[in-house]
Amino acid sequence: MVSEEAKIKILALREELEEHNYKYYVLSKPTISDYDFDMKMKELEKLEKKFPEFDDPNSPSKRVGSDLTKEFMQVVHERPMLSLSNAYSKEELLDFDTRIKKLIEGDFTYVCELKFDGASISLTYKDGILERATTRGDGQQGDDVTANVRTIKSIPLKLRGDGYPRSFEIRGEILFPFDAFDELNREREQLGEPVFANPRNTASGTLKMQDPAIVASRKLDAYLFSIHGDNLPFDGHFENLQEAKGWGFKISDEIQQFQSIEEVLQYIEKWDKERFNLPVATDGVVIKVNSINLQNNLGATAKSPRWAIAYKFKAESASTILQEVIYQVGRTGAITPVANLKPVLLAGTTVKRASLHNADIIQNLGLHIGDTVYVEKGGEIIPKITGVDKDKRDVLARPVVFISKCPECNTQLVREEGEAAHYCPNEEGCPPQIKGKIEHFISRKALDIDGLGQETVDLLFEEGLISDVTGLYTLKKEQIAVLERLGDKSAERILTGLEQSKSAPFEKVLFALGIRFVGETVAKTLVTKLVNIENIKKASFEELTEINDIGGRIAQSVVDYFSSEKNLQLVDFLKGKGLQMEISKEKLENRTEKLKGLNIIISGTFQQFSREEIKGLIEQNGGKNVSSISKKTSYLVAGEKIGPSKLEKANKLGIPIISEDDLMNMLK
Ligand code: IVH
């Protein structure tokens, strides 16, 4: 393909993919399958790599996140980001209405919006291009989190159409949708990592992460709710937001205009109930005077505007009886206490259970069996116990004492210093932990064994056909085919799936073993560096922590894993069955020691390779990727648009600065 042709194709693909992103992430109305989307993206990536002269940082292919941020730059807000004054009752809203009416002569309208419960963000656009994203900070200045925000697919990098002002600011809320949040927590649970408490804190924590690639993997979303600038199309806030929808922003469809405070109250009443059906967290309704002219006339106090108020939803609360506390054992052995309650109606659903999270919570509440407790549904989906009515307690009531032995296998529980949770340490003999290990082994991201899922694993385990992953490889067709819900066909599928797992790459096998803290990325790093299972088995704590990205916690876990006789036997068994226990020939052949002992930092964007590819090449050739410049850095590989602070620091420390070509020459 000649250059001119390629350019046309690249531009067309970018436009088409942005259009699909908009339909999927903003309108929630996709018109193409995920597969077709991926194919088009791959085509674009291939062309962009071949024709780097048409590089564009706003290409949809660049939303994967790059460049680590050590410290966020502080940005002073052009207009301070104020907060809203709150109202908790109808009376307070009527007072607000009276105040406004005293200050405004003539007719005006109110706009009602949902109050999204996430992290505030300010975005600035120049000539239709996202220029900067800043957190609220202290209201006067915030952190520049542009690199992270660029990975959020519902935020346009380039605006649609041409009706937008040349320069303007738009503010909104970054949210972690409940579905994506639950999925993230499930994954963390599988890896034995602590789960996050709620979507709001996780959204703001994610925004401040130093690695945009992790942010990109987290599926954040954003709703925008106010526009600021000199040349806005309308005087009405509502009309401007509707217009901004056409520029590609995600604006809530639930915004409504009203003439009277009575209608406002009805809107609140409706959302007080319906908010539980929304995909993201909300904690109230914001009421605003629509005309920007009137808003300016009304002005603001030091803290909040006079033209708006937030009505905060009451956390729905009910009282009921605590019948008993039961203890669940998770896949990693973590114990979760759960309160069984006398069923009670709360926010439209019957509540029978509440999570108690850990022993401290039980102790702080001072719970006794039979207590009258208050349950609330706040931002979280699972209700929680917020208090106890001690006056109603029976004199003979027994206090809840946290169990000391595992309810599944009777092993003494342990609680590590600094951790909130109790664990059952009997990894090898505790049924939910055994089943959890097998389920992880067969899961999609691990060996992805066709035909096997959680239910089938449970069934095979209950029937005594498997008691660990080795059992999978000795299963016979006749044993499976006779089980309930299975038959000849399923049995064949499972056996073929198991056979195919023998050709899965070593990094998948290593991940499938379920070593605590060894996720997909760590498994890949270990395989690239140490090549085969024998080297990994005998690697010492020190050798492991020498490897880039392997910290003490991971290293200790790997050492612990391979010091167990049972684990060593399992690995030998799997090796004997033919599973891959070393890096593929192709990957191995490309390895050299040419960069041995060198600490290399890369910065900017490159012509021939992506940043990830360059990092991979450095690792493959024995070098170490580092993320910040210090005296120990051997080279800075500078690409285009390299940050000036990095160059300055390298010059100051006398670190050699080389180009992509120089690096390639070193590898020749
Ligand atoms: S308007 C003067 N509208 O609530 C502030 N804010 O306490 C004008 N929020 O930091 C903000 N949903 O992040 C507005 N529909 C909405 C909102 C909203 C959530 C947040 C916002 C702000 C906080 C105000």
Side-chain angles (χ1 to χ4, degrees):
M1 195 185 289
V2 292
S3 180
E4 212 27 54
E5 240 177 273
K7 184 176 175 184
I8 295 172
K9 185 78 195 158
I10 287 174
L11 293 181
L13 278 167
R14 280 181 189 154
E15 198 179 357
E16 191 184 351
L17 285 165
E18 252 336 321
E19 185 70 23
H20 287 305
N21 259 345
Y22 173 71
K23 286 183 178 157
Y24 187 95
Y25 292 102
V26 180
L27 303 180
S28 305
K29 284 194 189 114
T31 53
I32 181 175
S33 72
D34 289 359
Y35 176 80
D36 289 346
F37 182 91
D38 289 346
M39 289 299 114
K40 285 185 196 288
M41 184 64 90
K42 285 222 167 83
E43 191 183 348
L44 173 63
E45 282 166 355
K46 221 164 117 191
L47 284 171
E48 286 179 336
K49 202 166 149 188
K50 209 163 150 202
F51 298 93
E53 60 269 37
F54 306 126
D55 242 12
D56 177 354
N58 293 315
S59 165
S61 66
K62 297 286 186 317
R63 288 205 192 241
V64 287
S66 60
D67 226 359
L68 289 183
T69 324
K70 261 278 154 241
E71 266 164 34
F72 294 105
M73 208 172 71
Q74 290 289 303
V75 181
V76 177
H77 297 300
E78 205 169 306
R79 308 159 188 82
M81 287 181 87
L82 302 177
S83 35
L84 289 164
S85 47
N86 291 327
Y88 296 92
S89 66
K90 185 177 156 186
E91 287 67 37
E92 283 173 278
L93 288 175
L94 294 175
D95 287 349
F96 168 76
D97 184 50
T98 315
R99 267 198 315 275
I100 296 286
K101 282 187 177 140
K102 267 195 199 142
L103 294 168
I104 298 180
E105 283 172 23
D107 289 345
F108 68 93
T109 53
Y110 284 125
V111 177
C112 284
E113 300 167 13
L114 291 166
K115 185 167 189 300
F116 295 105
D117 195 13
S120 315
I121 196 77
S122 151
L123 309 174
T124 51
Y125 284 82
K126 281 247 161 67
D127 294 319
I129 304 286
L130 171 65
E131 185 188 43
R132 182 178 274 159
T134 316
T135 62
R136 178 173 186 278
D138 62 4
Q140 299 299 324
Q141 58 176 37
D143 290 327
D144 179 340
V145 289
T146 316
N148 286 342
V149 165
R150 293 175 70 85
T151 69
I152 302 173
K153 307 265 194 0
S154 52
I155 292 185
L157 303 179
K158 270 185 186 170
L159 300 184
R160 305 162 63 84
D162 51 13
Y164 43 80
R166 275 204 68 179
S167 161
F168 68 97
E169 180 188 356
I170 187 161
R171 292 179 179 176
E173 204 83 351
I174 307 281
L175 297 151
F176 215 132
F178 291 128
D179 278 357
F181 178 74
D182 292 343
E183 189 187 324
L184 173 68
N185 266 349
R186 274 198 299 275
E187 281 174 17
R188 291 180 67 86
E189 217 175 339
Q190 271 204 352
L191 288 177
E193 290 177 16
V195 295
F196 292 121
N198 65 55
R200 187 214 310 116
N201 296 353
T202 316
S204 58
T206 304
L207 267 190
K208 301 261 189 81
M209 292 185 82
Q210 288 177 347
D211 186 353
I214 304 184
V215 183
S217 72
R218 290 226 174 143
K219 300 186 187 149
L220 294 175
D221 201 352
Y223 279 96
L224 286 313
F225 47 63
S226 69
I227 311 180
H228 311 264
D230 291 333
N231 295 306
L232 302 181
F234 299 102
D235 173 54
H237 159 76
F238 179 85
E239 289 79 4
N240 282 329
L241 286 184
Q242 298 315 312
E243 194 71 9
K245 244 187 214 180
W247 306 337
F249 291 107
K250 190 157 181 170
I251 311 279
S252 164
D253 288 328
E254 319 304 346
I255 304 181
Q256 269 182 283
Q257 282 199 85
F258 298 114
Q259 309 298 329
S260 70
I261 197 75
E262 285 71 30
E263 288 168 296
V264 169
L265 295 176
Q266 277 171 19
Y267 180 93
I268 291 175
E269 206 170 302
K270 168 179 155 190
W271 284 107
D272 200 11
K273 295 197 185 71
E274 287 190 17
R275 68 185 153 127
F276 295 106
N277 304 323
L278 293 167
V280 293
T282 52
D283 61 346
V285 166
V286 184
I287 301 111
K288 303 175 179 172
V289 170
N290 188 38
S291 154
I292 297 177
N293 226 330
L294 289 177
Q295 289 183 2
N296 292 337
N297 289 344
L298 289 163
T301 67
K303 276 201 218 133
S304 48
R306 291 197 189 85
W307 45 264
I309 195 162
Y311 174 84
K312 297 289 279 276
F313 294 134
K314 274 187 233 28
E316 293 249 353
S317 156
S319 80
T320 184
I321 307 289
L322 172 67
Q323 292 175 323
E324 63 170 342
V325 175
I326 58 158
Y327 298 84
Q328 292 173 341
V329 187
R331 292 169 188 207
T332 57
I335 310 289
T336 311
V338 176
N340 274 348
L341 306 167
K342 185 169 168 221
V344 61
L345 202 63
L346 177 62
T349 49
T350 305
V351 173
K352 294 181 205 141
R353 292 177 145 209
S355 171
L356 288 165
H357 299 287
N358 57 51
D360 291 342
I361 291 190
I362 296 180
Q363 191 160 16
N364 292 342
L365 286 165
L367 285 183
H368 285 55
I369 299 297
D371 267 349
T372 299
V373 293
Y374 299 106
V375 281
E376 264 187 21
K377 244 187 193 176
E380 289 93 54
I381 305 270
I382 305 164
K384 58 178 179 215
I385 296 184
T386 53
V388 182
D389 187 346
K390 294 204 173 95
D391 295 341
K392 292 203 179 138
R393 180 174 293 156
D394 192 298
V395 279
L396 295 176
R398 285 182 289 123
V400 175
V401 181
F402 202 89
I403 49 168
S404 59
K405 298 227 164 115
C406 175
E408 298 274 349
C409 70
N410 215 27
T411 303
Q412 186 75 33
L413 300 180
V414 292
R415 185 184 196 180
E416 275 162 39
E417 182 120 353
E419 288 217 20
H422 282 75
Y423 280 90
C424 165
N426 182 17
E427 278 180 48
E428 285 148 21
C430 182
Q433 297 190 62
I434 299 172
K435 281 192 271 182
K437 278 216 170 63
I438 306 174
E439 280 156 17
H440 171 73
F441 187 84
I442 59 150
S443 67
R444 200 170 47 80
K445 288 185 173 168
L447 291 178
D448 192 15
I449 294 173
D450 198 26
L452 275 181
Q454 188 181 336
E455 276 182 28
T456 319
V457 167
D458 278 358
L459 188 64
L460 294 169
F461 182 84
E462 307 307 340
E463 293 290 331
L465 291 174
I466 51 173
S467 57
D468 59 24
V469 294
T470 64
L472 292 171
Y473 291 94
T474 50
L475 283 171
K476 304 241 165 357
K477 187 176 159 190
E478 315 80 74
Q479 291 175 310
I480 312 173
V482 293
L483 298 179
E484 211 183 329
R485 293 193 310 274
L486 299 171
D488 275 356
K489 272 233 170 71
S490 316
E492 269 163 29
R493 221 174 120 199
I494 292 171
L495 293 179
T496 315
L498 285 162
E499 205 45 44
Q500 281 167 352
S501 70
K502 295 176 184 170
S503 47
F506 179 35
E507 59 261 28
K508 296 257 180 200
V509 180
L510 188 62
F511 172 62
L513 292 178
I515 305 170
R516 213 168 164 201
F517 308 129
V518 178
E520 284 172 289
T521 319
V522 172
K524 263 191 206 144
T525 309
L526 287 172
V527 168
T528 319
K529 276 284 167 185
L530 297 174
V531 181
N532 60 37
I533 194 76
E534 296 311 319
N535 292 339
I536 298 178
K537 266 195 221 166
K538 58 176 195 249
S540 67
F541 178 85
E542 288 72 26
E543 284 170 76
L544 288 165
T545 46
E546 287 267 289
I547 303 174
N548 200 18
D549 293 334
I550 308 286
R553 201 175 62 146
I554 301 173
Q556 193 55 53
S557 169
V558 173
V559 171
D560 288 349
Y561 184 89
F562 290 106
S563 61
S564 142
E565 196 48 44
K566 187 140 190 218
N567 291 338
L568 292 172
Q569 278 171 10
L570 165 69
V571 169
D572 281 347
F573 174 90
L574 294 174
K575 196 172 178 181
K577 282 286 166 196
L579 275 84
Q580 300 299 313
M581 291 291 171
E582 60 183 24
I583 193 170
S584 69
K585 275 224 174 60
E586 192 198 341
K587 278 189 198 146
L588 187 65
E589 274 162 13
N590 290 330
R591 273 172 44 105
T592 76
E593 301 267 272
K594 287 182 181 150
L595 304 177
K596 193 170 177 193
L598 299 180
N599 294 325
I600 303 179
I601 179 163
I602 67 166
S603 182
T605 56
F606 297 93
Q607 292 279 331
Q608 309 169 47
F609 297 98
S610 73
R611 293 171 52 86
E612 283 315 309
E613 283 170 329
I614 294 196
K615 281 189 184 171
L617 281 172
I618 293 173
E619 290 265 340
Q620 252 187 20
N621 290 283
K624 182 170 172 179
N625 286 295
V626 291
S627 56
S628 63
I629 301 184
S630 71
K631 274 186 273 176
K632 287 195 209 145
T633 310
S634 322
Y635 291 104
L636 165 66
V637 188
E640 274 173 45
K641 302 194 193 102
I642 176 174
S645 62
K646 279 210 179 110
L647 275 180
E648 197 183 311
K649 196 159 178 199
N651 278 325
K652 226 185 196 166
L653 296 171
I655 312 287
I657 300 170
I658 60 171
S659 68
E660 184 182 8
D661 285 344
D662 296 334
L663 179 71
M664 295 311 142
N665 283 333
M666 288 165 80
L667 300 181
K668 265 189 192 147

